[in-house]
């Protein structure tokens, strides 16, 4: 091996790889425990970034005092080798530490505590490794400034990019999480152990070490398959103690788990229930089968002659077989995950399997939103049989944009049918808000919308008032004219499903709720003793007040129905959780103004006191604040872009991985270009200019994202999002070496400045992730995320402007000191 080979470069790249893959591994595992709840994504990322930032600060202090970064790096790499798989094991047993009912969600405070406790050990060590590697690079090249930190920053970003692509395209398909963690941490440890003088490694010794590592590691690697299965059983013993875990499968869309109780099989994906069905040995359908039967036959008679039908989800639970009993000539059935179909085949009823092979069935494995947007055929009837919008991903099928896309591919007189769980007379503020929001969103698109149901609410929407109906006599006649024979269902069932007094009440509630400024906080008004007939209520629509769109129109860019669903689930399962989600609804947009003013006021105050003490308190705060605001802005934009990309493009995780890779590529190029091309990196004016550029970019993204929803070409959508993400990465990459150099000009301590700026950037990203995913995106919308990001950089610019007058003077004094 050549003496000039930069051994530390391999370790820097591996730090990026392990940071990216480790983050994704823990994110996926925690999402399973949190039932796929995207609100938790911000909390998970916040915990990760906060601890990595603190780890960089602690690493800077340790290496300043003790020196000898290489032994410290080896010790930390060995610790991560043990701690990462152990953390995965602890996550799978997490619910056992809380007193929660099976199926209940952990509250946001419980998620917060869990994430911060579990991610702390690994993240602290990874954060410290960044500073240690920066010190090693500085010593290797005999540098005295923060150039080593900038090069480490570039190398880590490149490793992040490769790590994301490696996991998305290779590891997730070939190995389980424990094997992935062993592989990447083992490679990191090997790279660190090689950081010795080249003379110590003869060719024979190097090959012998490699052979010994493989010889000892292979049995351990394959034994982790048993550990993975045992850990899954442990996890589901806490989540569903009365069920037996039958099978788990890793899909690119998340872990699939099959659970059995008696003769019922339940299918979960990423911890979220997809559907339940009677097993192949069952002769008489149970409750779940009866629900599917009722849903199918109530939906199919909403159209007088449904020849061409589109079914989104639900086919495996029995809906598909019942639909085909009607005079359907062609049926397109969309099920996103091919692996879900293959996993379910041994456990569903034989009738369902036979229907899947029917010549009139066109089974499609694609994202339904993408399919609807690009459909080449029109349909008489579209049936959406997806789970409730308990996640932002599922919420995509209850939004104004989706309803409009569905309307565009309906034939004249076509009908859209969807549904969601409910309560008798919509009792409970959260469920009333959610189901009313879905109704108003449909009415915003279709001229005639009717609802029905008690514990499950059906929505029937069309522009032809003669098609949809909730009159039992009309629907019974249509059913009987088709001479359908269905086990457990007959025309009489329409009389039971559509009881008149109940129909009047629920239609009255959804039509009158959501029309006052505080309706989302106080629930629907009292129902009259005798509401008028449904058709009379429809005619009286023009006399009602306008709908409060901010809280009762659900959209891709403001998924409020998803938020209400989480509120409802908490009300059902966690009586002790408090009403913190409801309190968050009271947050006002103008609250951001004092938060923007506070840093400017603070820096002016520090400028006054700093002058008396002879220290540049205001300048140091301002420079560190730019790193914090950059992290905040970047992470808010990342969350906004991922949410928007998911809503517009769908579950194409390989492409999302590439988009994240584009960000890391931009980050690396931005930092590298700054290192090579900017000669005076400690210029405060350049740093101020970067804040203006980043704020302008955030505002521009806020303008472009709504326009992107109308793009039909997947290639154009991908190109747009890649370009935006790449640009954001470049600006973020430019900012770090500039802020680190400005901090170095003030303190003249390289590792101290590196840890301080890196930690501040990650802490800002921590706050940005939490704000964007848990508050701003669901309540105020994705565009509001971009506005918040722009305001963050505007504040950073104002703080630099307020503190910048004395910067040049003070840095000259520091430079002239011995």
């Amino acid at each position: 091996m050549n003496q000039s080979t930069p051994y530390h470069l391999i370790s820097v790249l591996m730090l990026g790889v392990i940071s990216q893959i480790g983050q994704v591994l823990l994110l996926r595992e925690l999402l399973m425990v949190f039932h796929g709840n995207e609100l938790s994504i911000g909390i998970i990322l916040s915990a990760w970034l906060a601890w990595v930032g603190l780890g960089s600060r602690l690493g800077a202090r340790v290496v300043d005092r003790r020196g000898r970064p290489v032994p410290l790096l080896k010790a930390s790499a060995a610790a991560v080798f043990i701690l990462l798989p152990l953390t995965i094991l602890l996550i799978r047993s997490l619910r056992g530490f809380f007193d929660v009912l099976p199926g209940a969600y952990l509250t946001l405070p419980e998620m917060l505590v869990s994430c911060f406790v579990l991610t702390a050990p690994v993240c602290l060590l990874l954060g410290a490794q960044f500073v240690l590697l920066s010190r090693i690079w500085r010593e290797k090249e005999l540098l005295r400034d923060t150039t080593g930190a900038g090069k480490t920053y570039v190398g880590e970003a490149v490793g992040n990019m490769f790590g994301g692509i490696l996991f998305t395209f290779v590891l997730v398909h070939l190995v389980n999480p424990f094997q992935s963690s062993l592989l990447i941490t083992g490679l990191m440890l090997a790279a660190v152990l090689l950081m010795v003088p080249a003379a110590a490694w003869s060719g024979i010794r190097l090959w012998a070490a490699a052979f010994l590592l493989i010889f000892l590691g292979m049995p351990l690697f394959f034994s982790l398959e048993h550990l993975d299965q045992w850990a899954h059983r442990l996890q589901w013993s806490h989540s569903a103690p009365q069920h037996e875990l039958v099978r788990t499968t890793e899909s690119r869309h998340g872990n699939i788990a099959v659970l059995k109780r008696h003769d019922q099989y339940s299918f979960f994906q990423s911890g979220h229930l997809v559907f339940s069905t009677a097993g192949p040995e069952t002769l008489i359908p149970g409750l779940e089968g009866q629900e599917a039967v009722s849903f199918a036959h109530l939906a199919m008679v909403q159209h007088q002659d449904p020849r061409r039908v589109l079914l989104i989800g639900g086919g495996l639970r029995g809906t598909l077989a019942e639909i085909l009993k009607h005079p359907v000539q062609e049926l397109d059935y969309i099920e996103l995950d091919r692996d879900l179909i293959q996993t379910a085949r041994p456990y569903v009823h034989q009738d369902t399997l036979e229907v899947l092979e029917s010549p009139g069935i066109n089974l499609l494995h694609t994202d339904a939103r993408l399919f609807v947007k690009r459909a080449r055929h029109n349909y008489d009837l579209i049936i959406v049989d997806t789970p409730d919008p308990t996640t932002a991903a599922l919420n995509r099928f209850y939004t104004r944009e989706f309803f409009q896309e569905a309307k565009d591919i309906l034939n004249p007189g076509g009908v859209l049918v969807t549904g969601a769980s409910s309560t008798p007379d919509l009792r409970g503020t959260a469920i009333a808000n959610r189901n009313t929001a879905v109704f108003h969103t449909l009415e915003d698109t279709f001229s005639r919308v009717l609802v029905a149901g008690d514990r499950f609410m059906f929505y029937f929407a069309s522009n032809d008032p003669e098609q949809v109906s909730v009159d039992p006599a009309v629907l019974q006649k249509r059913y009987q004219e088709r001479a359908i024979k269905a086990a457990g269902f007959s025309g009489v069932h329409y009389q039971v499903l559509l009881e008149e007094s109940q129909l009047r009440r629920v239609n009255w509630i959804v039509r009158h709720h959501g029309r006052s400024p505080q309706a989302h906080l106080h629930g629907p008004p009292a129902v009259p003793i005798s509401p008028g007939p449904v058709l009379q209520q429809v005619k009286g629509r023009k006399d009602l007040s306008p709908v409060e769109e901010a809280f009762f129109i659900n959209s891709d860019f403001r998924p409020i129905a998803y938020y209400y669903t989480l509120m409802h689930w908490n009300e059902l399962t966690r009586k002790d959780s408090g009403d913190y989600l409801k309190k968050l609804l009271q947050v006002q947009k103008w609250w951001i103004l004092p938060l923007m003013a506070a840093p400017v006021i603070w820096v002016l105050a520090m400028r006054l006191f700093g002058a008396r003490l002879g220290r540049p308190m205001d300048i140091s705060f301002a420079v560190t604040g730019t790193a914090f605001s950059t992290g905040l802005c970047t992470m808010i934009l990342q969350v906004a872009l991922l949410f928007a990309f998911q809503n517009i493009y769908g579950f194409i995780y390989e492409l999302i991985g590439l988009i994240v890779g584009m960000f890391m590529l931009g980050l690396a190029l931005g930092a590298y270009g700054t290192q090579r091309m900017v000669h005076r990196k400690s210029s405060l004016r350049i740093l101020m200019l970067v804040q203006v550029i980043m704020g302008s970019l955030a505002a521009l993204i806020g303008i472009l994202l709504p326009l992107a929803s109308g793009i039909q070409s997947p290639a154009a959508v991908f190109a747009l999002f890649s370009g935006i993400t790449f640009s954001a990465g470049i600006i973020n990459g430019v900012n770090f070496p500039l802020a680190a150099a400005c901090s170095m000009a003030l303190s003249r301590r390289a590792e101290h400045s590196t840890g301080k700026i890196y930690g501040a950037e990650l802490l800002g990203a921590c706050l940005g992730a939490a704000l964007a995913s848990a508050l701003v995106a669901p309540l105020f919308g994705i565009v509001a995320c971009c506005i918040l990001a722009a305001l963050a950089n505007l504040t950073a610019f104002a703080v630099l402007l307020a503190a910048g007058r004395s910067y040049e003077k003070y840095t000259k004094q520091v430079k002239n000191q011995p």
Side-chain angles (χ1 to χ4, degrees), residues 696-719:
S696 302
L697 177 63
L700 179 61
I701 292 173
I703 296 172
L704 291 177
L705 285 183
L707 301 177
S709 63
I711 300 176
Q712 294 188 0
S713 168
V717 172
F718 176 69

Side-chain angles (χ1 to χ4, degrees), residues 470-481:
V470 289
D471 186 337
V474 172
L475 301 183
Q476 183 175 355
K477 180 181 178 183
R478 293 179 184 177
Y479 181 84
Q480 292 173 342
E481 287 175 348

Side-chain angles (χ1 to χ4, degrees), residues 7-205:
Y7 299 99
H8 53 278
L9 176 59
I10 302 175
S11 297
V12 169
L13 292 173
M14 283 308 306
L15 174 61
V17 170
I18 194 173
S19 295
Q20 183 65 31
I21 295 179
Q23 184 183 93
V24 173
L25 285 173
L26 298 190
L27 182 69
R28 285 168 64 99
E29 293 293 329
L30 285 166
L31 273 175
M32 284 186 62
V33 179
F34 300 153
H35 296 272
N37 177 4
E38 286 98 343
L39 288 184
S40 66
I41 293 178
I43 297 174
I44 298 166
L45 293 177
S46 295
W48 179 280
L49 295 166
W51 286 124
V52 171
L54 181 59
S56 69
R57 296 297 301 271
L58 295 176
R61 291 189 178 185
V62 171
V63 77
D64 272 347
R65 294 179 180 178
R66 299 188 57 182
R68 304 186 62 193
V70 173
L72 291 172
L73 184 64
K74 291 179 179 179
S76 67
V80 172
F81 180 79
I82 298 170
L83 288 172
L84 183 56
L86 179 60
T87 302
I88 295 174
L89 184 61
L90 288 173
I91 290 173
R92 293 194 183 176
S93 61
L94 178 61
R95 288 180 65 92
F97 295 99
F98 295 96
D99 183 20
V100 293
L101 295 173
Y105 282 24
L106 295 181
T107 63
L108 286 181
E110 288 169 344
M111 293 179 188
L112 188 69
V113 171
S114 302
C115 293
F116 272 83
V117 170
L118 290 171
T119 59
V122 170
C123 293
L124 285 170
L125 291 170
L126 293 178
Q129 285 182 17
F130 177 84
V131 179
L132 295 174
L133 285 164
S134 298
R135 174 67 173 265
I136 292 169
W137 203 314
R138 184 169 69 86
E139 291 179 349
K140 173 75 175 178
E141 298 189 358
L142 303 177
L143 302 169
R144 299 186 62 182
D145 56 14
T146 59
T147 302
K151 293 181 177 180
T152 304
Y153 192 78
V154 174
E156 185 195 20
V158 173
N160 267 278
M161 179 185 68
F162 283 122
I165 295 174
L166 175 66
F167 181 84
T168 302
F169 291 111
V170 181
L171 296 182
V172 74
H173 299 288
L174 299 180
V175 296
N176 65 52
F178 289 100
Q179 291 171 332
S180 293
S181 64
L182 178 70
L183 182 63
I184 59 172
T185 54
L187 290 174
M188 175 67 177
L189 183 59
V192 170
L193 292 176
L194 284 172
M195 292 178 62
V196 294
W201 289 102
S202 64
I204 296 178
R205 287 184 179 182

Side-chain angles (χ1 to χ4, degrees), residues 723-790:
I724 292 174
T725 308
F726 180 73
S727 301
I730 286 180
I731 300 299
N732 188 85
V734 168
N735 190 83
F736 177 79
L738 295 177
C742 290
S743 181
M744 174 70 178
L746 296 172
S747 67
R748 300 185 68 183
R749 290 187 292 167
E751 278 68 51
H752 172 81
S753 299
T754 299
K756 185 177 181 179
I757 297 301
Y758 189 65
E761 183 177 297
L762 291 176
L763 288 175
C766 161
L767 179 61
L771 282 175
S773 64
L775 178 64
V776 181
L779 292 184
F780 300 108
I782 294 174
V783 173
C785 289
C786 301
I787 295 173
L788 178 60

Side-chain angles (χ1 to χ4, degrees), residues 447-739:
S447 61
R448 174 64 59 88
V449 182
L450 302 175
V451 300
D454 186 12
R455 296 188 178 276
F456 188 89
M457 179 164 284
F458 301 92
Y459 299 86
F460 313 120
S462 178
N463 284 334
D464 184 351
E466 300 301 320
Q467 290 284 8
V468 294
S469 175
V470 289
D471 186 337
V474 172
L475 301 183
Q476 183 175 355
K477 180 181 178 183
R478 293 179 184 177
Y479 181 84
Q480 292 173 342
E481 287 175 348
R482 297 174 188 177
I484 296 169
K485 294 181 180 180
F489 193 90
S490 68
V492 179
H493 279 79
Y494 293 108
Q495 303 290 338
V496 178
L497 293 171
L498 304 170
E499 195 272 322
E500 178 66 19
S501 61
Q502 195 270 343
L503 273 175
R504 293 187 181 192
R505 288 194 300 273
V506 296
N507 274 272
W508 191 94
I509 291 171
V510 296
R511 293 178 192 283
H512 288 78
H513 186 36
R515 298 181 184 274
S516 62
Q518 298 297 312
H520 61 290
L521 298 176
H522 303 306
V527 184
I529 296 176
S530 180
V534 173
L535 293 183
Q536 181 181 326
Q537 294 181 30
V538 172
K539 293 178 181 178
R541 172 188 176 187
K542 60 181 182 297
D543 299 325
L544 298 176
S545 303
V547 174
E548 292 290 324
E549 291 198 13
F551 293 100
F552 289 95
I553 295 294
N554 189 42
S555 72
D556 285 345
F557 291 92
R558 190 168 185 167
I560 192 65
Y562 155 51
Y563 195 83
Y564 290 146
T565 304
L566 297 180
M567 288 178 59
H568 169 61
W569 196 249
N570 259 7
E571 290 175 358
L572 286 179
T573 61
R574 301 301 305 274
K575 301 298 183 182
D576 60 333
S577 64
D579 56 353
Y580 60 90
L581 289 175
K582 186 175 180 179
K583 290 179 180 177
L584 289 178
L585 288 173
Q586 302 177 38
V587 174
Q588 302 294 318
K589 294 179 181 178
W590 64 265
W591 291 6
I592 189 63
L593 298 178
L595 294 178
M596 289 180 59
V600 180
I601 296 172
W602 181 250
V603 79
L604 292 174
M606 283 197 297
R607 182 176 180 181
L608 175 63
F609 290 108
R612 295 180 179 179
L613 296 173
R615 291 183 294 169
M617 298 170 60
D618 57 331
I619 307 173
S620 178
F621 175 83
V623 171
T624 307
T626 61
F628 180 88
S629 68
T630 298
L632 179 76
C633 173
T634 303
M635 186 52 65
I636 289 175
L637 290 179
Q638 277 290 89
V639 171
L641 287 169
L642 289 177
F643 268 66
F645 184 74
Q646 174 181 268
N647 289 335
I648 295 171
Y649 201 90
F651 284 104
I652 313 298
Y653 283 115
E654 291 88 348
L655 295 185
I656 289 180
L658 285 176
I659 283 185
V660 174
M662 292 297 291
F663 173 80
M664 300 312 301
L665 177 61
L667 190 78
L669 290 178
Y672 179 77
T674 303
Q675 292 285 355
R676 295 294 300 271
M677 301 175 63
V678 180
H679 300 292
R680 191 165 176 247
K681 290 185 279 292
S682 60
S683 170
L684 205 65
R685 292 185 177 181
I686 299 177
L687 192 60
M688 292 168 66
L689 178 61
V690 170
Q691 307 311 306
V692 174
I693 294 174
M694 181 169 284
S696 302
L697 177 63
L700 179 61
I701 292 173
I703 296 172
L704 291 177
L705 285 183
L707 301 177
S709 63
I711 300 176
Q712 294 188 0
S713 168
V717 172
F718 176 69
L720 174 64
F721 276 81
S722 296
I724 292 174
T725 308
F726 180 73
S727 301
I730 286 180
I731 300 299
N732 188 85
V734 168
N735 190 83
F736 177 79
L738 295 177

